[in-house]
Amino acid sequence: MVGRTHGVHAEPTTFGLKAALWHAEAGRNLERLRRAKEAVRVGKISGAVGTFAHVDPDVEEEVCRELGLVPEPVSTQVVQRDRHAEFVGALALLAASLEKIALEIRNLQRTEVLEAEEPFAEGQTGSSAMPHKRNPVGAEQVCGLARLVRANALAALEDVALWHERDISHSSVERVILPDSTSLVDYMLHQMDRILAGLQVYPARMRENLDRTHGLIFSQRVLLALTERGLPRQRAYELVQRNAMRAWRERRSFHELLAADPDVTATLSPAALGSCFDAAWYLRNVDAVYKRLGLVP
Amino acid sequence: MVGRTHGVHAEPTTFGLKAALWHAEAGRNLERLRRAKEAVRVGKISGAVGTFAHVDPDVEEEVCRELGLVPEPVSTQVVQRDRHAEFVGALALLAASLEKIALEIRNLQRTEVLEAEEPFAEGQTGSSAMPHKRNPVGAEQVCGLARLVRANALAALEDVALWHERDISHSSVERVILPDSTSLVDYMLHQMDRILAGLQVYPARMRENLDRTHGLIFSQRVLLALTERGLPRQRAYELVQRNAMRAWRERRSFHELLAADPDVTATLSPAALGSCFDAAWYLRNVDAVYKRLGLVP
Amino acid sequence: MVGRTHGVHAEPTTFGLKAALWHAEAGRNLERLRRAKEAVRVGKISGAVGTFAHVDPDVEEEVCRELGLVPEPVSTQVVQRDRHAEFVGALALLAASLEKIALEIRNLQRTEVLEAEEPFAEGQTGSSAMPHKRNPVGAEQVCGLARLVRANALAALEDVALWHERDISHSSVERVILPDSTSLVDYMLHQMDRILAGLQVYPARMRENLDRTHGLIFSQRVLLALTERGLPRQRAYELVQRNAMRAWRERRSFHELLAADPDVTATLSPAALGSCFDAAWYLRNVDAVYKRLGLVP
Amino acid sequence: MVGRTHGVHAEPTTFGLKAALWHAEAGRNLERLRRAKEAVRVGKISGAVGTFAHVDPDVEEEVCRELGLVPEPVSTQVVQRDRHAEFVGALALLAASLEKIALEIRNLQRTEVLEAEEPFAEGQTGSSAMPHKRNPVGAEQVCGLARLVRANALAALEDVALWHERDISHSSVERVILPDSTSLVDYMLHQMDRILAGLQVYPARMRENLDRTHGLIFSQRVLLALTERGLPRQRAYELVQRNAMRAWRERRSFHELLAADPDVTATLSPAALGSCFDAAWYLRNVDAVYKRLGLVP
């Protein structure tokens, strides 16, 4: 499929590479979440101001052990809120990564692109009179919910600076942002799981879109092939440019225009020219990425 | 010194315990920062859409090695922005912790409290006509700057969801938030270092403030002492309450009022009563906290 | 041109209507900005705590008059910061509206859509070998910068709650967010002005994209035409659906399929059927919108 | 009472002036809220993409009139979200102003200050053994809730930039932030109403705190009085400074020290000296502020 930068066609890539990117980022988020859960897996029974005036540290240690918590080494009336801010921050980052996947799917599902669609339950809209009208509402929802978790992360950061041995301003905040953020992210994960598990992918359309620029995404390789065969760079550039401009204006095959240009064919054989338009060549190193990620042996 | 919850006197604590709390939190922030630096210590030379179409993965690996970077296992035109969001998020959390310390100092430096003051260069205000007027402007500045870094962390989270193989919307954001956040936090750390290194601490005032409630912060211990010696709880509570109310209204020593109340002295000897007002008793477990933190052997 | 909801083709609309929407929103932002400027156009010379202890209110009034400011009716050491938060908030809202326009342009400039492009200086990329590769970098930048102003608005809100007659925590914040927000929005306005003034609009492509669904965006009108001519709704729906599904699957003209379906032509004359596919009909009320906005007499 | 800047005693002010400040700010918030309500008091029945393809503008106008709404002059599938962002932004600003009042009360209720307390229901804590332990939990809660509304305002700003004629990403956000923000602010207003209606104010303590610096807050006036009577400024400054430093160090009355310093009394009569320590003089212009605000005739 075509790779796009700035929303504009650039060079061939593969859908698998997009998925590998999500996979690697999911791994980073899992690690962040694991650490963030560890950060808040603490308990304290150190009294009104953290001095253990009325309860010995031993009690704290034993109770925490029974609850599967780590005793907070030093506390005030409460466990310090940098821990909770790290936790909600990790959720917000995870939500942002889900937003990225959802945004990709929304972009791929645009009528003009239509390389993928989120799963669509039969009869979901009740209207088959507009079979093209499948809206990526699940992915759009994930994008919206990420904004909420992000906002919550900010409120969590404002909760860190409490007065002295504790003020209770953080409490009303946490009663909203902790249940909201955890349940929102849980829902987003389920939503994204459903979307990815049932994702409709359209390879034929991908191949078709790959040719939307009439082959211009291969122009750099033609340029290189010409210069490698001895043409001065300036001259090679002129040849590529005049055919590229014409292909774009007239919506004609760049490959065919070049093949019909004697100035080009004088240097490049049909086979050599044809090999410039081989998308597979661009993808020869993709497997190496999967190997790096441990996705293939 | 007195420990305060909700800004109101609660129970004795120590200044060392406050500092130990900061120390432990600084340790967590150091660890977060270390991880966040690791998260962004990556490089990529994988081409326009991340396929290594024109450069082999080997080149990326070698260049990264020379630069002290880790090759990004999978990338698009750019390294993914969850990494940068984690980095700025860690800075925002560190800034929030510095804000907490700064807020504590501002609270301690209030004219009515005055248990500590940030260092004050001779002639800093040019006016010794108001020797009490030492403003915690350094700590106030740290509080303000934390708001900026926190806001930047939010913009970093919005940068994560880019289009396809990259859109460049994140770039203008990062040109501001990356230099700003790093230099702000660097400045805040230096500012806080200066403040803490030269912090004026006033133990005499701490002791004085400890008695601002005329001994009422010890009332719970008196209650306990009475019931431990056999007084019914209801009766013990009445005795404590009537003397506590009087001490508060008349601003008289709670200890002396109790010592003059025959209903109290019938149960509690002067020595037993006196031991209830021993702040040191509240602090007997504080060393155990330092031990936990490895601050004392 | 086609109107899109969820990024999916819906019904015909016009580019003028998009622009009218921006125009109306710009009007609202101008009004907000005007009010916000009024909100901060205040001055105070009321002394260290706002009591006019050393300077009479008359002086404040006269100085403010000379400076073109309104005397703040009541102040502390400073003008209250809700005013500045309103100001930066209005800038953030204006920035969000610019972001919306920029996002629209980015979406229209996608290779697959290509109904508009931001102006492209000759030789801007130095490469005419890829004439399709015009990136909406100006619009992307505006989208990014909106994130910064939005973040600044948040810091401004945190500045409102100062201590007593003033603490100086807001100062370090404002030294960054006031110049940054005003100059960023100024830059964004100039950038957007340049983009809109030189915007390339491609009506031919708009017409072409209008047919990307092979006429399915007109299916509702066909359905209505059939039922208006007496066909039971269920039956009309079946006729539309079977042709719609076929048009979508086989990428054939929905109009032609219907015209060749005897069950349809038995009810709808060729003229009646043809009029269902008239985009102009959908747009007959658009002028009324321009009238409302005072854009046409 | 004493006015405080940076939390440090500055000059006399009055509690009424604090309240007048809140009153004026409340007026600004009411006006913002009124405008924000007007901003969202719009309706639209303009169809799937805003073209009135199936319903005439007349219908929209009539329906809106019946519902007490203003017809949105131009819309897409939805009313544009800059309106909602203005609305939530106005709520966040109102919340920030409430936070400011709440923060003031929390600061005044500190044990060391204790110039005011939020209302305290009899038996609220169940413990009269610690009659000083009245925590400003209502005000602390208001401070916390302001963080939530502020975060919501940010999410509202992110909702403005929708795709084309509408994407639905804003919907999941608004289902949370619109009910949450309105009900939170409603609750905060009731909470603050309760707090202010029942606020305990302690004038005796205010007078007492006014003397916490032993009269040093009047040092500037003494300096002025000396120079006005012909003493060279440098000399006057030396006299003030040496007595000020001594008053601060030895916690003695600045007034009495000056009165016993022959170098001072040579220039200032007891009456003239005494008038420097008259707090009322500082407040002579406060009524003018009330007049400006229309609070007194």
Side-chain angles (χ1 to χ4, degrees), chain B residues 92-141:
Chain B
L93 199 35
L94 170 51
S97 293
L98 294 175
E99 181 188 18
K100 179 167 79 174
I101 303 176
L103 187 64
E104 179 73 34
I105 291 167
R106 289 172 59 195
N107 270 322
L108 294 181
Q109 189 161 346
R110 300 177 59 96
T111 301
E112 287 89 352
V113 177
L114 211 48
E115 298 178 348
E117 284 185 306
E118 64 174 53
F120 193 77
E122 282 310 311
Q124 189 174 318
T125 63
S127 163
S128 334
M130 299 179 81
H132 73 287
K133 193 65 182 154
R134 295 186 175 187
N135 301 324
V137 293
E140 289 174 307
Q141 191 188 52

Short mmCIF file of all heavy atoms in Angstrom, two decimals, chain B residues 92-141:
data_model
loop_
_atom_site.label_atom_id
_atom_site.label_comp_id
_atom_site.label_asym_id
_atom_site.label_seq_id
_atom_site.Cartn_x
_atom_site.Cartn_y
_atom_site.Cartn_z
N ALA B 92 7.02 17.11 33.70
CA ALA B 92 5.89 17.77 34.35
C ALA B 92 5.67 17.22 35.75
O ALA B 92 5.30 17.95 36.67
CB ALA B 92 4.63 17.60 33.50
N LEU B 93 5.91 15.92 35.90
CA LEU B 93 5.74 15.29 37.20
C LEU B 93 6.85 15.77 38.15
O LEU B 93 6.59 16.09 39.32
CB LEU B 93 5.75 13.78 37.02
CG LEU B 93 5.17 12.90 38.11
CD1 LEU B 93 3.99 13.54 38.81
CD2 LEU B 93 4.77 11.56 37.52
N LEU B 94 8.05 15.82 37.63
CA LEU B 94 9.16 16.37 38.42
C LEU B 94 8.86 17.81 38.82
O LEU B 94 9.05 18.22 39.98
CB LEU B 94 10.45 16.29 37.59
CG LEU B 94 11.70 16.99 38.10
CD1 LEU B 94 12.01 16.63 39.54
CD2 LEU B 94 12.89 16.65 37.21
N ALA B 95 8.34 18.59 37.88
CA ALA B 95 8.00 19.99 38.18
C ALA B 95 6.93 20.06 39.25
O ALA B 95 6.96 20.94 40.13
CB ALA B 95 7.54 20.69 36.90
N ALA B 96 5.97 19.14 39.21
CA ALA B 96 4.90 19.14 40.23
C ALA B 96 5.47 18.82 41.61
O ALA B 96 5.00 19.35 42.62
CB ALA B 96 3.81 18.13 39.83
N SER B 97 6.45 17.95 41.65
CA SER B 97 7.08 17.64 42.94
C SER B 97 7.86 18.84 43.46
O SER B 97 7.86 19.12 44.67
CB SER B 97 8.00 16.42 42.79
OG SER B 97 7.25 15.26 42.51
N LEU B 98 8.53 19.53 42.57
CA LEU B 98 9.24 20.75 42.99
C LEU B 98 8.22 21.79 43.47
O LEU B 98 8.45 22.52 44.44
CB LEU B 98 10.06 21.32 41.83
CG LEU B 98 11.24 20.45 41.37
CD1 LEU B 98 11.90 21.04 40.13
CD2 LEU B 98 12.26 20.27 42.50
N GLU B 99 7.09 21.85 42.78
CA GLU B 99 6.01 22.77 43.20
C GLU B 99 5.57 22.45 44.63
O GLU B 99 5.29 23.33 45.43
CB GLU B 99 4.83 22.60 42.23
CG GLU B 99 3.64 23.49 42.50
CD GLU B 99 2.44 23.11 41.61
OE1 GLU B 99 2.43 21.99 41.05
OE2 GLU B 99 1.53 23.94 41.49
N LYS B 100 5.49 21.16 44.94
CA LYS B 100 5.08 20.76 46.28
C LYS B 100 6.05 21.27 47.34
O LYS B 100 5.64 21.82 48.37
CB LYS B 100 4.96 19.24 46.36
CG LYS B 100 4.53 18.75 47.74
CD LYS B 100 4.11 17.31 47.73
CE LYS B 100 5.30 16.40 47.72
NZ LYS B 100 4.91 14.97 47.85
N ILE B 101 7.33 21.09 47.09
CA ILE B 101 8.35 21.58 48.04
C ILE B 101 8.25 23.11 48.15
O ILE B 101 8.27 23.67 49.25
CB ILE B 101 9.76 21.17 47.58
CG1 ILE B 101 9.85 19.65 47.43
CG2 ILE B 101 10.81 21.69 48.56
CD1 ILE B 101 11.19 19.15 46.88
N ALA B 102 8.12 23.76 47.00
CA ALA B 102 8.05 25.23 46.99
C ALA B 102 6.82 25.71 47.75
O ALA B 102 6.88 26.71 48.49
CB ALA B 102 8.03 25.74 45.54
N LEU B 103 5.71 25.00 47.58
CA LEU B 103 4.48 25.39 48.26
C LEU B 103 4.65 25.23 49.78
O LEU B 103 4.18 26.06 50.56
CB LEU B 103 3.31 24.53 47.75
CG LEU B 103 1.94 24.92 48.26
CD1 LEU B 103 1.55 26.32 47.77
CD2 LEU B 103 0.88 23.91 47.80
N GLU B 104 5.34 24.18 50.18
CA GLU B 104 5.59 23.96 51.61
C GLU B 104 6.40 25.13 52.18
O GLU B 104 6.09 25.66 53.24
CB GLU B 104 6.36 22.65 51.81
CG GLU B 104 6.70 22.33 53.26
CD GLU B 104 5.47 21.89 54.06
OE1 GLU B 104 4.59 21.23 53.48
OE2 GLU B 104 5.40 22.22 55.27
N ILE B 105 7.43 25.52 51.44
CA ILE B 105 8.28 26.62 51.92
C ILE B 105 7.48 27.92 51.98
O ILE B 105 7.58 28.69 52.94
CB ILE B 105 9.53 26.75 51.02
CG1 ILE B 105 10.42 25.52 51.24
CG2 ILE B 105 10.28 28.04 51.31
CD1 ILE B 105 11.51 25.35 50.22
N ARG B 106 6.68 28.18 50.97
CA ARG B 106 5.84 29.38 50.99
C ARG B 106 4.92 29.36 52.21
O ARG B 106 4.72 30.38 52.87
CB ARG B 106 4.99 29.46 49.71
CG ARG B 106 5.77 29.79 48.47
CD ARG B 106 4.91 29.67 47.22
NE ARG B 106 3.75 30.56 47.29
CZ ARG B 106 2.68 30.47 46.49
NH1 ARG B 106 2.61 29.50 45.58
NH2 ARG B 106 1.68 31.31 46.61
N ASN B 107 4.37 28.20 52.51
CA ASN B 107 3.47 28.09 53.66
C ASN B 107 4.23 28.29 54.97
O ASN B 107 3.71 28.91 55.90
CB ASN B 107 2.75 26.73 53.63
CG ASN B 107 1.44 26.80 52.87
OD1 ASN B 107 0.72 27.80 52.94
ND2 ASN B 107 1.12 25.74 52.13
N LEU B 108 5.44 27.76 55.03
CA LEU B 108 6.23 27.90 56.26
C LEU B 108 6.75 29.32 56.43
O LEU B 108 7.08 29.73 57.54
CB LEU B 108 7.40 26.90 56.26
CG LEU B 108 7.04 25.42 56.32
CD1 LEU B 108 8.30 24.56 56.32
CD2 LEU B 108 6.16 25.09 57.54
N GLN B 109 6.84 30.06 55.35
CA GLN B 109 7.41 31.41 55.40
C GLN B 109 6.35 32.48 55.67
O GLN B 109 6.67 33.65 55.85
CB GLN B 109 8.16 31.70 54.09
CG GLN B 109 8.97 32.99 54.12
CD GLN B 109 10.05 33.06 53.07
OE1 GLN B 109 10.40 32.07 52.46
NE2 GLN B 109 10.60 34.25 52.86
N ARG B 110 5.09 32.10 55.72
CA ARG B 110 4.04 33.06 56.04
C ARG B 110 4.39 33.78 57.35
O ARG B 110 4.90 33.15 58.28
CB ARG B 110 2.70 32.35 56.22
CG ARG B 110 2.22 31.59 55.01
CD ARG B 110 0.92 30.90 55.36
NE ARG B 110 -0.03 31.91 55.75
CZ ARG B 110 -0.92 32.45 54.93
NH1 ARG B 110 -1.02 32.02 53.69
NH2 ARG B 110 -1.70 33.42 55.33
N THR B 111 4.09 35.03 57.46
CA THR B 111 4.42 35.80 58.66
C THR B 111 3.93 35.10 59.93
O THR B 111 4.64 35.02 60.93
CB THR B 111 3.80 37.20 58.58
OG1 THR B 111 4.31 37.85 57.42
CG2 THR B 111 4.16 38.04 59.81
N GLU B 112 2.73 34.57 59.89
CA GLU B 112 2.17 33.95 61.09
C GLU B 112 2.83 32.62 61.43
O GLU B 112 2.72 32.17 62.57
CB GLU B 112 0.66 33.72 60.91
CG GLU B 112 -0.17 35.00 60.99
CD GLU B 112 -0.31 35.65 59.62
OE1 GLU B 112 0.36 35.18 58.67
OE2 GLU B 112 -1.08 36.62 59.51
N VAL B 113 3.44 31.98 60.48
CA VAL B 113 4.04 30.67 60.71
C VAL B 113 5.55 30.84 60.93
O VAL B 113 6.08 30.51 61.98
CB VAL B 113 3.76 29.72 59.52
CG1 VAL B 113 4.45 28.37 59.73
CG2 VAL B 113 2.25 29.55 59.33
N LEU B 114 6.21 31.30 59.89
CA LEU B 114 7.63 31.68 59.92
C LEU B 114 8.54 30.63 60.55
O LEU B 114 9.39 30.94 61.38
CB LEU B 114 7.78 33.02 60.66
CG LEU B 114 8.95 33.88 60.16
CD1 LEU B 114 8.95 33.99 58.65
CD2 LEU B 114 8.92 35.25 60.79
N GLU B 115 8.39 29.41 60.13
CA GLU B 115 9.24 28.33 60.60
C GLU B 115 10.43 28.12 59.69
O GLU B 115 11.38 27.42 60.04
CB GLU B 115 8.42 27.04 60.75
CG GLU B 115 7.31 27.20 61.79
CD GLU B 115 6.43 25.97 61.94
OE1 GLU B 115 6.54 25.06 61.10
OE2 GLU B 115 5.65 25.93 62.90
N ALA B 116 10.35 28.68 58.51
CA ALA B 116 11.48 28.57 57.57
C ALA B 116 11.37 29.73 56.58
O ALA B 116 10.29 30.30 56.38
CB ALA B 116 11.45 27.23 56.84
N GLU B 117 12.49 30.08 56.00
CA GLU B 117 12.52 31.10 54.96
C GLU B 117 13.51 30.70 53.89
O GLU B 117 14.57 30.14 54.20
CB GLU B 117 12.95 32.46 55.54
CG GLU B 117 11.89 33.17 56.35
CD GLU B 117 12.37 34.56 56.79
OE1 GLU B 117 13.46 34.63 57.40
OE2 GLU B 117 11.67 35.53 56.51
N GLU B 118 13.17 31.01 52.66
CA GLU B 118 14.15 30.76 51.61
C GLU B 118 15.29 31.74 51.78
O GLU B 118 15.12 32.81 52.37
CB GLU B 118 13.51 30.84 50.22
CG GLU B 118 12.96 32.17 49.80
CD GLU B 118 12.49 32.14 48.34
OE1 GLU B 118 11.68 31.26 47.99
OE2 GLU B 118 12.94 32.98 47.56
N PRO B 119 16.49 31.40 51.28
CA PRO B 119 17.65 32.28 51.51
C PRO B 119 17.39 33.68 50.96
O PRO B 119 16.72 33.85 49.94
CB PRO B 119 18.78 31.59 50.74
CG PRO B 119 18.14 30.57 49.86
CD PRO B 119 16.85 30.22 50.50
N PHE B 120 17.91 34.63 51.64
CA PHE B 120 17.62 36.03 51.37
C PHE B 120 18.94 36.76 51.27
O PHE B 120 19.62 36.97 52.27
CB PHE B 120 16.78 36.57 52.54
CG PHE B 120 16.16 37.90 52.27
CD1 PHE B 120 15.02 38.00 51.47
CD2 PHE B 120 16.68 39.05 52.82
CE1 PHE B 120 14.42 39.23 51.23
CE2 PHE B 120 16.09 40.29 52.58
CZ PHE B 120 14.96 40.38 51.79
N ALA B 121 19.32 37.09 50.06
CA ALA B 121 20.60 37.78 49.89
C ALA B 121 20.55 39.13 50.60
O ALA B 121 19.54 39.83 50.55
CB ALA B 121 20.88 37.98 48.40
N GLU B 122 21.63 39.47 51.28
CA GLU B 122 21.72 40.78 51.92
C GLU B 122 21.41 41.85 50.87
O GLU B 122 21.93 41.81 49.76
CB GLU B 122 23.14 41.01 52.46
CG GLU B 122 23.43 40.29 53.76
CD GLU B 122 22.36 40.54 54.82
OE1 GLU B 122 22.00 41.71 55.04
OE2 GLU B 122 21.86 39.55 55.41
N GLY B 123 20.57 42.79 51.24
CA GLY B 123 20.28 43.89 50.33
C GLY B 123 19.40 43.49 49.16
O GLY B 123 19.25 44.24 48.20
N GLN B 124 18.78 42.30 49.26
CA GLN B 124 17.97 41.83 48.14
C GLN B 124 16.81 42.78 47.84
O GLN B 124 16.51 43.06 46.69
CB GLN B 124 17.44 40.43 48.42
CG GLN B 124 16.78 39.78 47.20
CD GLN B 124 16.41 38.34 47.48
OE1 GLN B 124 17.14 37.58 48.09
NE2 GLN B 124 15.22 37.94 47.05
N THR B 125 16.17 43.31 48.89
CA THR B 125 15.08 44.23 48.62
C THR B 125 15.53 45.68 48.70
O THR B 125 14.83 46.57 48.25
CB THR B 125 13.94 44.07 49.65
OG1 THR B 125 14.46 44.42 50.93
CG2 THR B 125 13.40 42.67 49.64
N GLY B 126 16.70 45.91 49.30
CA GLY B 126 17.14 47.28 49.44
C GLY B 126 16.48 47.97 50.62
O GLY B 126 16.77 49.09 50.94
N SER B 127 15.54 47.27 51.29
CA SER B 127 14.85 47.90 52.40
C SER B 127 14.98 47.09 53.67
O SER B 127 14.44 46.00 53.77
CB SER B 127 13.35 48.06 52.08
OG SER B 127 12.64 48.30 53.27
N SER B 128 15.71 47.60 54.64
CA SER B 128 15.73 46.94 55.94
C SER B 128 14.75 47.63 56.88
O SER B 128 14.72 47.36 58.07
CB SER B 128 17.12 46.95 56.56
OG SER B 128 18.10 47.03 55.59
N ALA B 129 13.96 48.55 56.32
CA ALA B 129 12.95 49.20 57.16
C ALA B 129 11.80 48.26 57.46
O ALA B 129 11.02 48.49 58.36
CB ALA B 129 12.43 50.46 56.45
N MET B 130 11.70 47.18 56.67
CA MET B 130 10.67 46.16 56.91
C MET B 130 11.34 44.80 56.98
O MET B 130 11.19 43.98 56.08
CB MET B 130 9.62 46.20 55.80
CG MET B 130 8.89 47.53 55.69
SD MET B 130 7.69 47.51 54.33
CE MET B 130 6.30 46.65 55.08
N PRO B 131 12.11 44.56 58.08
CA PRO B 131 12.90 43.33 58.13
C PRO B 131 12.05 42.06 58.07
O PRO B 131 12.58 40.99 57.79
CB PRO B 131 13.64 43.43 59.47
CG PRO B 131 12.90 44.44 60.26
CD PRO B 131 12.28 45.38 59.29
N HIS B 132 10.77 42.18 58.36
CA HIS B 132 9.91 40.99 58.28
C HIS B 132 9.52 40.66 56.85
O HIS B 132 9.04 39.59 56.55
CB HIS B 132 8.62 41.22 59.08
CG HIS B 132 7.70 42.17 58.37
ND1 HIS B 132 7.94 43.53 58.28
CD2 HIS B 132 6.57 41.95 57.68
CE1 HIS B 132 6.98 44.11 57.59
NE2 HIS B 132 6.14 43.18 57.20
N LYS B 133 9.73 41.64 55.96
CA LYS B 133 9.18 41.50 54.61
C LYS B 133 10.13 40.73 53.69
O LYS B 133 10.73 41.30 52.76
CB LYS B 133 8.87 42.89 54.05
CG LYS B 133 8.01 42.91 52.78
CD LYS B 133 6.62 42.37 52.98
CE LYS B 133 5.79 42.34 51.70
NZ LYS B 133 4.75 41.34 51.72
N ARG B 134 10.32 39.48 54.00
CA ARG B 134 11.11 38.62 53.11
C ARG B 134 10.12 37.74 52.36
O ARG B 134 9.47 36.88 52.94
CB ARG B 134 12.05 37.76 53.93
CG ARG B 134 13.10 38.58 54.66
CD ARG B 134 14.08 37.65 55.31
NE ARG B 134 15.17 38.38 55.92
CZ ARG B 134 16.23 37.80 56.43
NH1 ARG B 134 16.34 36.48 56.40
NH2 ARG B 134 17.19 38.52 56.97
N ASN B 135 10.05 37.97 51.09
CA ASN B 135 9.06 37.27 50.28
C ASN B 135 9.65 36.02 49.65
O ASN B 135 10.76 36.06 49.13
CB ASN B 135 8.56 38.20 49.18
CG ASN B 135 7.94 39.46 49.74
OD1 ASN B 135 7.28 39.43 50.78
ND2 ASN B 135 8.15 40.59 49.07
N PRO B 136 8.92 34.92 49.66
CA PRO B 136 9.45 33.67 49.09
C PRO B 136 9.33 33.66 47.58
O PRO B 136 8.68 32.78 46.99
CB PRO B 136 8.56 32.60 49.73
CG PRO B 136 7.24 33.29 49.96
CD PRO B 136 7.58 34.73 50.24
N VAL B 137 9.94 34.66 46.94
CA VAL B 137 9.74 34.83 45.49
C VAL B 137 10.33 33.68 44.67
O VAL B 137 9.83 33.37 43.59
CB VAL B 137 10.30 36.18 44.99
CG1 VAL B 137 9.49 37.32 45.57
CG2 VAL B 137 11.78 36.34 45.37
N GLY B 138 11.38 33.07 45.18
CA GLY B 138 11.94 31.93 44.45
C GLY B 138 10.97 30.76 44.45
O GLY B 138 10.72 30.14 43.41
N ALA B 139 10.42 30.48 45.62
CA ALA B 139 9.46 29.37 45.72
C ALA B 139 8.19 29.67 44.93
O ALA B 139 7.60 28.79 44.30
CB ALA B 139 9.13 29.10 47.19
N GLU B 140 7.76 30.93 44.96
CA GLU B 140 6.58 31.30 44.18
C GLU B 140 6.83 31.09 42.69
O GLU B 140 5.96 30.63 41.95
CB GLU B 140 6.19 32.76 44.46
CG GLU B 140 5.63 32.98 45.86
CD GLU B 140 5.38 34.44 46.18
OE1 GLU B 140 6.34 35.25 46.03
OE2 GLU B 140 4.27 34.78 46.60
N GLN B 141 8.04 31.42 42.27
CA GLN B 141 8.37 31.26 40.85
C GLN B 141 8.34 29.78 40.45
O GLN B 141 7.82 29.43 39.39
CB GLN B 141 9.76 31.84 40.61
CG GLN B 141 10.13 31.98 39.16
CD GLN B 141 11.58 32.37 39.01
OE1 GLN B 141 12.47 31.73 39.55
NE2 GLN B 141 11.81 33.43 38.26
#
